[in-house]
Amino acid sequence: MWLAGVITTFGSFLSFVAVPVQLKDLTGSAAAVGFVGAVELVPLIVFGLYGGALADAVDRKLLINATEAAQGVLAAVLLVNTLLPHPMVWLLYVTAALSSALTGLQRPALDAIVQRIVPRDQLAAAASLNALRYQVGAIAGPSLAGLVIAWAGPSWAYAADTVTFAVSVCLGLGLRRSPAGHDAKPPSLRGIAEGARYAWGRKELLGTYAIDLAAMFFAYPVAIFPFLADDLHARWSLGLMYAAGSVGSLLVSLTSGWSSRVHRHGRMVVLAAAGWGAAMGLAGWAGEIWLVLLCLAAAGGLDMISGIGRSTMWNQTIPDELRGRLAGIELLSYSVGPQLGQVRAGAVAAGSSARVSVWSGGLACVAAVGMLAAALPALLGYDARKAGDPAVREREQEREGARQPDPEPQAQPQS
């Protein structure tokens, strides 16, 4: 699973860079590039929620591999379109929408399967390793994509993406079966509503969703990186811009042993999300490319810290029978935000400039995170030692020399 993720992420980031660059070359419009986020939004919401219910009702291995194979077909479609004498702009949007739908179906199963593989006391480490898997591809993919597109065009990027999906499907076949529980019910609106009610009743979880959604909506300007590179007279740096955030995330992942000693994960999420917005604001304000790259790397590191906090909170306390549906809601929190963020960034850049779009979004992110933290005190008050994490409580008691039995956890997972 980990190796397949490295390979498919690497290939996906080749296309992730190639699509906006190709749209920019075909249309010359920042708004047209940002509109990719709009066409991806509805499929992601609909199929993300349904995919969460599906992950609780079918074999998760089968669902992961089927959607991975379908993504490979879409990459091949992008390749064929690019080889046409006049590539079709509308097909880029249609492919982006279908890919978003497949992501919505697949990602909850990928997230939900982790609880079945990893012991509870290693979930924070698993979150870091999964992030590391993502970052390896996210650094190598955009860096190589920038060079490949500049010298050979987007067709080579799409071709490589197609090959990586084929390899990742072969690796995915090696996963053990992960069937649904014997009492699992077929996907339904009632089942989705049950997961939503659970999430609404857990205000600390609700806070993680809201914080991440706001941070990505206001401060996720990757769609306009091609225009920002032009504004800075550094088109050569485009691949580095896409990779810089992942470099920062990688550094945090490699040094994330400290995260297992954190108990106040809600505060961790809030502070890191505010720092993400501040770093993005500085990236838009900076006029030197090296300073922009440094700010983007810092933003990526802070986003990684927030991600570790969110993932640990989710995995520590959500029951296995609800894990797929809650993973669908999580998918919306960390994926819908970027889609809307691309639309926001493109619209603001079209009306002003790429740099204004970046720094104004960063400032808005800091303000939004502050208001949400004040409105959801349960998030700031979250403490793993009191929230159904027996392993953490046991270590704390040993450290304090306590010998009395543990109190009953408030939210004991079923797995």
Side-chain angles (χ1 to χ4, degrees):
M1 177 177 161
W2 194 89
L3 289 173
V6 170
I7 294 169
T8 194
T9 301
F10 171 79
S12 295
F13 267 97
L14 293 174
S15 294
F16 180 75
V17 176
V19 168
V21 171
Q22 189 176 18
L23 275 171
K24 174 180 176 292
D25 291 341
L26 292 173
T27 67
S29 168
V33 175
F35 189 64
V36 171
V39 301
E40 292 174 337
L41 180 58
V42 173
L44 189 63
I45 293 174
V46 173
F47 289 94
L49 291 172
Y50 181 74
L54 198 61
D56 285 334
V58 302
D59 189 315
R60 291 169 183 170
K61 171 188 174 178
L62 176 63
L63 181 56
I64 291 168
N65 288 332
T67 50
E68 192 79 352
Q71 290 278 29
V73 173
L74 292 181
V77 170
L78 288 173
L79 171 61
V80 172
N81 181 57
T82 305
L83 296 176
L84 296 175
H86 302 287
M88 295 174 281
V89 172
W90 65 266
L91 188 57
L92 292 175
Y93 289 119
V94 170
T95 306
L98 292 174
S99 178
S100 182
L102 289 170
T103 298
L105 289 174
Q106 182 191 68
R107 191 58 182 265
L110 279 172
D111 290 343
I113 206 172
V114 173
Q115 255 188 342
R116 295 185 176 180
I117 298 173
V118 181
R120 280 178 52 80
D121 62 345
Q122 295 179 28
L123 286 172
S128 297
L129 284 173
N130 273 336
L132 178 64
R133 172 195 68 184
Y134 173 86
Q135 292 145 12
V136 169
I139 292 170
S143 300
L144 181 61
L147 296 175
V148 169
I149 293 169
W151 292 99
S155 60
W156 284 86
Y158 297 139
D161 191 14
T162 304
V163 173
T164 60
F165 274 118
V167 175
S168 65
V169 168
C170 293
L171 288 170
L173 295 176
L175 276 173
R176 292 179 304 194
R177 291 186 66 243
S178 184
H182 66 279
D183 56 348
K185 299 176 181 178
S188 65
L189 291 176
R190 177 177 295 182
I192 295 173
E194 181 184 357
R197 283 195 299 270
Y198 178 87
W200 182 260
R202 294 279 309 280
K203 299 305 181 186
E204 69 278 22
L205 291 183
L206 193 63
T208 65
Y209 303 147
I211 290 283
D212 193 44
L213 186 65
M216 294 298 103
F217 173 72
F218 289 112
Y220 191 78
V222 296
I224 60 170
F225 278 178
F227 297 91
L228 183 60
D230 287 348
D231 283 357
L232 295 169
H233 306 291
R235 186 181 175 89
W236 56 269
S237 70
L238 179 59
L240 296 178
M241 284 186 181
Y242 282 108
S246 296
V247 171
S249 297
L250 177 62
L251 292 176
V252 170
S253 292
L254 294 175
T255 58
S256 62
W258 57 268
S259 64
S260 63
R261 299 187 293 273
V262 174
H263 310 305
R264 300 280 189 173
H265 296 103
R267 296 181 183 180
M268 179 180 177
V269 169
V270 169
L271 293 175
W276 153 273
M280 280 296 183
L282 289 174
W285 173 80
E288 298 291 335
I289 184 60
W290 66 267
L291 187 55
V292 171
L293 294 174
L294 183 62
C295 290
L296 292 176
L302 290 161
D303 185 50
M304 181 70 253
I305 293 173
S306 176
I308 292 174
R310 295 193 309 271
S311 180
T312 303
M313 288 176 64
W314 296 337
N315 285 321
Q316 280 179 345
T317 60
I318 297 174
D320 183 68
E321 66 270 16
L322 288 171
R323 195 66 188 89
R325 280 164 283 180
L326 269 293
I329 296 174
E330 291 158 22
L331 172 68
L332 299 187
S333 76
Y334 59 68
S335 297
V336 170
Q339 309 309 326
L340 291 174
Q342 292 184 72
V343 178
R344 185 212 64 83
V348 175
S352 53
S353 70
R355 292 181 62 186
V356 170
S357 178
V358 176
W359 70 252
S360 63
L363 292 181
C365 170
V366 175
V369 168
M371 289 187 290
L372 286 170
L376 294 165
L379 177 61
L380 291 175
Y382 179 87
D383 190 334
R385 293 166 293 188
K386 304 175 183 177
D389 186 356
V392 172
R393 283 203 313 276
E394 190 175 310
R395 287 196 297 270
E396 286 299 309
Q397 289 181 343
E398 289 176 357
R399 197 173 292 127
E400 296 168 4
R403 292 294 180 266
Q404 66 274 22
D406 288 349
E408 283 296 315
Q410 296 176 6
Q412 178 67 43
Q414 299 295 314
S415 59

